[in-house]
Each structure stands twice: as C-alpha cells, then as structure tokens.
Amino acid sequence: MNIKSLRRARPAALVLAVVAASTVALVSCGDNNSSGSSSQTPTPDKASFSGMTPSALKSAASSAVASARARASAAASSASAAASSFEASVSAEVARASKDAQNELKNVTGQGNAMSEVAMTGKPRAQTSGLLAVLVTITNKTDKKASYAVQVDFLDSSGKVAETRYVGAENLAPGAKAQPVAISTKPPEPVLTPKLAKAQRY
C-alpha cells in the first residue's frame, strides 16, 4: 500500500472507531438505565388506601369522639332528670303519708291500738349522711286489710321531745309488712333518742 492509500484509510478508520465507541456508550447507558429501574421500590397498591389524608382521618376521629361524648352527656342528663323526678315523687309521697298519719293521730288518746304491730330499728348514720333515722316496721297482724299511722318522737338527753315525725302505711293486707323511714332533721349533735310514741290502726 502506498502513502496516498494509507492517508485515505486513516480518516475512514477514525470514523469507524468513533461510531463503535458511540454504540458501546449507548449500550452502556441502556444497561445502566435497566439496572437502575430494577432497583426501584415497587409502586404500592392504591386499593389498600382509605383515600383519606392524615388530616382528614384526624378530623373524622375527632368528630366521632365528639359525637360519642354528646350522646353520653345526653344520656347522663336524661338519667339525672329521671332520678330527680323519681326523688321528687318519692318525697311528695312521703310528705302525703306523713300528713295523713298526723291527721289520723291527732284525736288518738294514749298510745293507740297498734303498738304491738309496730317495731323500730335504727339505721347506721353512715348510710344516712349523718342524719338520725329509724326504720319503722309495720305488720298487719289482723285478718283484714288495714291502714296504720305511727308517731315517732326524738328525745334529747333530758327526755324532752325535740322533734316529732309521722309515718304510715295504707291498705296493708293481712300479714303484710311496710317499712317507712322516720328521719330527724335535727343536727347530729346533741344526740337524740327515737321513741315510738303512738301507733294507730284504722
């Protein structure tokens, strides 16, 4: 090969070398992208999401708690109102029975005709908020329906009547019992002593 042919061959070889290098570079880049994509974290399955953002979830939870508290508060208010209504009805019934018993006893001389049918038991002050209270047990020992009026006196240390309370029972069947409570409204001190003063069957 002469010098002129060699000079013409060098540029052609150079072009071939550049093309070959470019091809290798392209293949290498393709390999890098391929290996890079294989190391990426898989995309999570969107079907497992609730579709709510953390702030939306927090808001929903707060709303649920508030709703539960509102329902609990309403239930508590309703229960309190029912308790107050019951207490008022019981107090009214006790007041009525006390008034009826007092009316029945106002014309009774002596201790009445039913002392043997009435007994008293003191209640612990721990159960009565410190008040002096006695459980009056009335038993109808006759063979007919009967009503009863009872007077309980609370005496001081000198034996003087410091307070009088009235309880009663209406339409007790033969052999039946009633247990009203006579409660002193006086302070715990000085200590008073309960006494069964009168018991009338009518």
Side-chain angles (χ1 to χ4, degrees):
M1 179 181 294
N2 56 30
I3 294 176
K4 288 182 179 182
S5 297
L6 184 58
R7 287 177 178 174
R8 283 197 299 268
R10 282 181 180 175
L14 183 58
V15 170
L16 289 175
V18 170
V19 171
S22 298
T23 302
V24 171
L26 288 173
V27 171
S28 176
C29 288
D31 289 344
N32 286 340
N33 288 339
S34 175
S35 62
S37 63
S38 64
S39 63
Q40 291 180 354
T41 303
T43 302
D45 182 7
K46 292 182 179 179
S48 65
F49 292 149
S50 65
M52 300 178 70
T53 63
S55 60
L57 287 172
K58 183 178 180 180
S59 177
S62 298
S63 178
V65 170
S67 177
R69 285 179 178 170
R71 287 195 300 271
S73 178
S77 296
S78 177
S80 177
S84 297
S85 176
F86 175 73
E87 182 179 4
S89 66
V90 169
S91 297
E93 179 62 23
V94 169
R96 185 193 64 78
S98 175
K99 187 66 176 176
D100 289 347
Q102 185 176 3
N103 289 335
E104 287 295 329
L105 290 171
K106 67 183 178 181
N107 295 322
V108 173
T109 57
Q111 293 183 316
N113 61 9
M115 290 290 284
S116 64
E117 296 174 68
V118 179
M120 294 195 311
T121 305
K123 293 183 70 66
R125 289 181 183 265
Q127 297 178 6
T128 61
S129 301
L131 295 175
L132 175 59
V134 291
L135 182 68
V136 180
T137 301
I138 302 169
T139 306
N140 183 358
K141 296 181 180 180
T142 71
D143 58 357
K144 295 180 180 179
K145 209 177 257 192
S147 296
Y148 293 82
V150 178
Q151 176 182 325
V152 178
D153 289 339
F154 292 92
L155 312 178
D156 61 17
S157 58
S158 67
K160 182 180 178 181
V161 177
E163 185 179 20
T164 297
R165 307 295 287 178
Y166 299 92
V167 296
E170 294 182 346
N171 299 318
L172 276 184
K177 291 183 179 182
Q179 292 185 307
V181 178
I183 303 174
S184 170
T185 60
K186 298 294 184 180
E189 299 293 339
V191 177
L192 301 178
T193 302
K195 175 187 175 182
L196 180 60
K198 292 182 179 183
Q200 181 72 13
R201 180 181 61 254
Y202 60 95

